[in-house]
């Protein structure tokens, strides 16, 4: 095999017009092992794989790149979090192992970043596409201009993608502003442009999304750096001073208090939408959700073109289209109002997460009632009051954590939300959560009416990337973004349904905060009840934050080994009840799905514009699947 490969690389025609230097790029052959060794086992995207056991139809290739060459490149490994959250099964392959793909068929190669590939590696990828396989590039061409049908490439600082081909599977139905940061814009040669770039003050900047036929295969280029853009929108910039306020006065970020939304990188004019009934602007469309979906759509589209049946582990159990979540901050610690809130929740038959503010809290009897009725007790870290024990510091955070453990007689605290969404710097607080054992945070969201919605990412929960250290790693703290607080008090109750609709479109989490301090005010209880009823009628279930975290951890314990394009085995670390498996339908033809050698009952689904067969079942141990 090795001798054949050497002859192949020597005799294969050279089509690369431009060879670039490898200086500054640290090609990490053990990238998958290095990445995984830094990630807690509960959230690892895949197990290390030897070169000769790559068997998934989706192959992800990325590199470790010097910050001196491209400071955004440290985020490229986040592609594993994006795809794993989506429920796709894939193999992560260092670029130095691309030779293992020679003679492979029915593969989709995803290049995560504008990679520095050697001429030999470029030749291997070009031949794969020529022979009928697919290539998806994110952030640049990786030197494969001819394969992607691109004439030239230009660095991009910031821009907005504008769909120009609305009837294409990759771009159809996108609704957000598609704000992107970094990567490139390109000039097409043979490729068809599906979306153009508007770089704001600089005006039009070239093409953003392109599709090209190369030999028997297909290449899709997502020229802006969608991976960095997702991380940048979600994690923002360091909060060291007040953020820039909205020019229309709707969101006065310069209030003298540091909070998570002060790190927002989105645009007040171009990234907000006017909401009814008052016509005020808010971040209605979750931009990072749509950037994720563009990557997924690209994979599904080329899979359909190649007639590859991709399995997908759906986001939620029982075929749920999305999840609702209600939290409460105990500001004021008024027991009477807490009882009123509990009565409303019980009438609605909904469980929620109660975030407790130090000092004081509620009577021990009330904590006992919450636990008995299966509500979640969480921490409401106070770094706003400014006292000796209520100012921003890890020591105070740990102190308040110990206080709640003792007061509520808890063995473990899963979740936290910061008082007034206080935040400083960028990732420090998430590291504190990880160190003390907090598994999920809810502190990233809006405090002002004009910033409600999705100013810090989308509706999907995510594990943040610690990209500030030498070897970037995922932090074992699930972030669940907040949409808004206190319908009626902060914004019209009608906003609630509009945000639920937005979450349903993207299959994430609709997280609303209701303070017990406001529950006795006119129309607040009715707004909460209406929101719960509407969500249920549209297919939501209302979960606690602890339920969300536990489900996500269990779900990520499932891996797959492919024997062929139509036969594979799922390996489930811990039982996953009522899971939903999806199977992409590349063509409208009859087929059947067999699970453990028995025919399965399927239901037709249409997600992101693609047709799937859906199977609901309990997953445990090993599950053999075959598509015939």
């Amino acid at each position: 095999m090795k001798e054949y490969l050497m002859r192949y690389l020597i005799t294969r025609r050279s089509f690369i017009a431009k060879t670039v230097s490898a200086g500054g790029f640290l090609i990490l052959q053990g990238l998958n092992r290095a990445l995984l060794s830094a990630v807690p086992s509960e959230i690892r995207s895949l197990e290390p794989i030897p070169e000769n056991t790559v068997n998934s139809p989706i192959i992800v290739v990325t590199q470790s790149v010097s910050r001196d060459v491209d400071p955004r490149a440290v985020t490229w490994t986040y592609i594993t979090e994006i795809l794993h959250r989506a429920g796709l099964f894939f193999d992560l392959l260092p670029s130095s192992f691309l030779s293992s793909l020679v003679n492979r068929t029915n593969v989709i190669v995803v290049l995560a970043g504008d990679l520095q590939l050697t001429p030999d590696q470029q030749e291997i990828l070009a031949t794969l596409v020529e022979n009928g396989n697919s290539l998806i590039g994110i952030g640049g061409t990786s030197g494969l201009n001819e394969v992607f049908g691109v004439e030239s490439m230009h660095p991009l600082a910031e821009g907005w993608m504008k769909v120009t081909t609305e009837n294409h599977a990759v771009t159809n139905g996108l609704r957000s502003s598609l704000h992107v940061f970094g990567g490139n814009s390109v000039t097409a040669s043979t490729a068809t442009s599906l979306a153009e770039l508007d770089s704001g003050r600089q005006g039009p900047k070239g093409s953003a999304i392109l599709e090209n036929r190369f030999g028997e295969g297909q290449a899709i280029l997502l020229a802006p750096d969608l991976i960095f853009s997702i991380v940048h929108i979600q994690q923002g910039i360091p909060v060291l001073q007040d953020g820039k306020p909205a020019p229309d006065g709707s969101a006065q970020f310069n209030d003298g208090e540091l909070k998570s939304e002060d790190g927002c990188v989105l645009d007040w004019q171009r990234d907000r939408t006017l909401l009814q009934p008052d016509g005020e602007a808010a971040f209605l469309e979750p931009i990072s959700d749509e950037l994720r979906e563009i990557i997924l759509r690209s994979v599904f589209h080329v899979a359909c073109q190649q007639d590859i049946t991709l399995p997908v582990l759906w986001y939620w159990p029982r075929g749920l289209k999305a999840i609702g979540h209600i939290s409460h901050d105990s500001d004021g610690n008024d027991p009477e109002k807490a009882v009123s809130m509990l009565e409303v929740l019980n009438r609605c038959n909904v469980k929620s997460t109660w975030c407790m503010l130090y000092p004081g809290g509620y009577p021990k009897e009330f904590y006992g009632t919450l636990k008995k009725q299966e509500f979640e007790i969480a921490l409401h870290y106070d770094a706003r009051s400014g006292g000796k024990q209520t100012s921003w510091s890890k020591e105070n955070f740990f102190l308040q954590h110990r206080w709640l453990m003792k007061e509520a007689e808890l063995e473990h605290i899963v979740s936290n939300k910061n008082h007034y969404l206080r935040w400083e710097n960028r990732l420090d607080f998430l590291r504190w959560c990880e160190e003390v054992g907090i598994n999920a945070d809810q502190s990233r969201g809006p405090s002002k009416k004009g910033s409600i919605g999705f100013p810090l990412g989308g509706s999907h929960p995510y594990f943040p990337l610690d990209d500030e250290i030498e070897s970037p790693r995922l932090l074992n703290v699930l972030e669940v973004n907040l949409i808004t607080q206190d319908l009626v008090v902060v914004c019209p109750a009608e906003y609630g349904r509009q945000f639920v609709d937005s979450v349903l479109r993207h299959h994430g989490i609709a997280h609303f905060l209701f303070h017990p301090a406001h529950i006795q005010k006119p129309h607040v209880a009715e707004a909460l009840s209406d929101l719960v009823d509407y969500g249920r009628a549209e297919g939501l279930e209302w979960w606690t934050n602890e339920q969300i975290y536990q489900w996500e951890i269990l779900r990520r314990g499932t891996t797959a080994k492919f024997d062929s394009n139509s036969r594979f085995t799922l390996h489930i670390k811990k039982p996953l009840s009522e899971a939903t498996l999806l199977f992409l339908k590349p063509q409208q033809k009859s087929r059947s799905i067999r699970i453990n050698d028995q025919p399965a009952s399927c239901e037709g689904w249409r997600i992101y514009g693609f047709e799937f067969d859906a199977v609901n079942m309990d997953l445990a141990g090993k599950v053999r699947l075959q598509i015939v």
Side-chain angles (χ1 to χ4, degrees), residues 136-149:
I136 299 171
I138 305 173
T141 65
S142 299
L144 294 161
N145 285 20
E146 183 179 348
V147 178
F148 287 112

Side-chain angles (χ1 to χ4, degrees), residues 210-228:
L210 305 95
E211 181 178 31
N212 189 51
R213 299 296 304 186
F214 187 77
E216 299 297 316
Q218 189 173 16
I220 290 182
L221 178 63
L222 311 175
D225 193 336
L226 301 193
I227 303 171
F228 171 78

Side-chain angles (χ1 to χ4, degrees), residues 27 185 191 430-431 551 566 613:
I27 302 176
S185 65
L430 296 172
R431 298 189 191 104
W551 172 260
S566 60
D613 286 320

Side-chain angles (χ1 to χ4, degrees), residues 162-176:
K162 302 297 179 184
V163 173
T164 54
T165 306
E166 295 185 353
N167 62 349
H168 193 278
V170 176
T171 53
N172 183 45
L174 298 174
R175 301 170 59 135
S176 80

Side-chain angles (χ1 to χ4, degrees), residues 5 271 372 383 394 481 556 591:
L5 180 59
D271 295 337
K372 183 178 180 180
K394 182 169 73 170
N481 286 340
R556 290 179 184 237
R591 66 175 183 180

